[in-house]
Amino acid sequence: MKITTVTTYQVPPRWCFVKIETDEGVVGWGEPVLEGRAASVAATVDELADLVVGRDPRHIEDLWTLMYRSAFYRGGGIHMSAIAGIDQALWDIKGKALGVPVAELLGGQVRDRIKVYSWIGGDRPAETAAAARAAADRGFTAVKMNGTEEMQYLDSWDKVQLCLDNVGAVRDAVGPDIGIGVDFHGRVHKPMAKVLMKELEPYHLMFIEEPVLSEHLDAMIDVLHGVSTPIALGERLFSRWDVKDVLASGAVDIIQPDPCHAGGITETRKIAMMAEAYDVALALHCPLGPIALATCLQIDAGCYNAVIQEQSLGIHYNTTNDLLDYVVDPSVFAYEDGMVTIPTGPGLGIEVNEEYVAERAVVGHRWRNPVWRHRDGSFAEW
C-alpha cells in the first residue's frame, strides 16, 4: 500500500481536515489545525506531503520520525499540528485496512466510555449559572468556564469578585456534585493567580486550568504545591520534550495535550504514558471538530490515567457549524449520563461526510483570536 494524495480542507467554524488517499482505495482522515493559524498549518501539511506520498502509510512510527526529524527547525505549534493531522490519518488508514479501531492497535481498551464536560459561557463569563444548570439537565456531570476577563499583573478586587461571583453562582446552580473546571486561559499573571487560586478554594473545583502560561510555570511551582485544587495545563505544549520538565516539577495534576497540536496519536500517547509515570491524570484538550474528538477517544480508550474528555458540542465558537455536522452518522458519538462511548468502528471509528466537507471548504474560514486591551490601552492576554 502506498500514499497517493494528501488534501486539506479548511471548513467552518475554524477547523482544518486532511484526507490521505492510497493506491488500494483506503482513505484516512485527520484534523491538522492550530486555532487562528489554520492556513499556516495547511501549508505545512502540503510541505510534509513531499515526505509521505509514495510511502507505505502503515509505517507510522518511521513516517512520524521522518516528518519531525528531517526538519532542521522542528517542533512548535504549526509544525507539530501539521504532523498531528497526517499522523491521525495514518492511524485511520491502518485501522481501516485491518478492520479494527485504532484503540485495538494501541493495545486494546481499558474503558468503553469516558466522562465528558460541557463548556458554559463565553469569553466574558456572564449568566453562566443558567448555562451550567442547562448542561446538568442535559446529563452532563461536569462543566468548564472561563474564570476571568482581562486581568493585569496587579488588578483591582472587582475583577477577583467577578470571578468569585460567577463561580459561586454556578456552584449554587448545580449543587456540590457537579464538577466545575475554571480556565484562567493564560490570562492571569503570577501575582493575581496567587490571589484567585486562594479565593476559589471554597468552591471545591474539579480543576483550575492554565493558572499561568506554561512558560511561567517555574515561577509558580512553590505556590502550586500549596494549592488544594488540582492544576491542569498542557494545550500549549507540543511534544514530549515540552512536557517532561512540567511533569518533573510535580506542580501539575492533570496534563492536557491536544492530539491535533501535539504530534497526533503517536506523540500524544507517549505524553500520556510519561504522565502516568508521574501519577498525573490525562484530560485531552479538544475544543475542535469530529475527527479531533474521535482521535481523542481512541487514545482515551487505552490510557489508564485518562479521566475526562473535553468536547465542543455547542461550544460558543461553533456559530456556523457544529461538531456533528461533518459525520455521516452523528450517533457514533453516543452521549449518555455525562459520558460518551468510545467509537468501535474501524480506524478512528467515524465516517466523514466527504461531500459536505468539500461543500463547506468552498466557504472556508478566517477565524482569528479576539484581540483584547486593558483600560490603559496595553495588550491583554485573551
Side-chain angles (χ1 to χ4, degrees), residues 277-298:
Y278 285 93
D279 205 24
V280 169
L282 179 73
L284 296 175
H285 181 256
C286 189
L288 297 169
I291 304 171
L293 180 57
T295 294
C296 288
L297 294 176
Q298 294 299 324

Side-chain angles (χ1 to χ4, degrees), residues 117-169:
Y117 62 78
S118 175
W119 265 96
I120 56 173
D123 287 324
R124 299 179 179 274
E127 300 180 359
T128 47
R133 184 65 260 166
D137 290 343
R138 294 196 306 273
F140 287 97
T141 58
V143 296
K144 188 170 83 171
M145 59 188 287
N146 280 318
T148 73
E149 299 182 2
E150 305 95 330
M151 187 156 281
Q152 276 280 22
Y153 280 86
L154 294 176
D155 219 318
S156 54
W157 184 257
D158 63 314
K159 294 286 191 71
V160 176
Q161 192 61 55
L162 177 60
C163 174
L164 300 179
D165 289 346
N166 281 330
V167 174

Side-chain angles (χ1 to χ4, degrees), residues 54-92:
R55 296 182 180 271
D56 191 327
R58 295 167 294 189
H59 297 170
I60 298 173
E61 190 70 37
D62 183 60
L63 290 175
W64 195 99
T65 301
L66 182 64
M67 289 188 288
Y68 180 79
R69 295 188 183 274
S70 66
F72 184 82
Y73 302 102
R74 58 186 67 161
I78 291 172
H79 184 205
M80 297 303 286
S81 296
I83 291 175
I86 294 173
D87 180 82
Q88 293 166 14
L90 297 178
W91 282 104
D92 194 29

Side-chain angles (χ1 to χ4, degrees), residues 294-309:
T295 294
C296 288
L297 294 176
Q298 294 299 324
I299 297 171
D300 290 329
C303 290
Y304 177 73
N305 55 334
V307 292
I308 196 166
Q309 180 58 59

Side-chain angles (χ1 to χ4, degrees), residues 154-199:
L154 294 176
D155 219 318
S156 54
W157 184 257
D158 63 314
K159 294 286 191 71
V160 176
Q161 192 61 55
L162 177 60
C163 174
L164 300 179
D165 289 346
N166 281 330
V167 174
V170 170
R171 176 56 75 206
D172 289 343
V174 300
D177 298 326
I178 297 293
I180 302 173
V182 173
D183 189 356
F184 285 12
H185 215 250
R187 297 170 181 170
V188 185
H189 299 279
K190 180 178 70 168
M192 297 307 298
K194 293 162 64 176
V195 174
L196 283 166
M197 286 189 292
K198 177 183 177 182
E199 296 296 330

Side-chain angles (χ1 to χ4, degrees), residues 342-360:
I342 310 293
T344 57
L348 295 177
I350 62 172
E351 182 180 354
V352 174
N353 186 334
E354 296 188 35
E355 183 177 343
Y356 188 64
V357 167
E359 176 186 326
R360 295 302 287 162

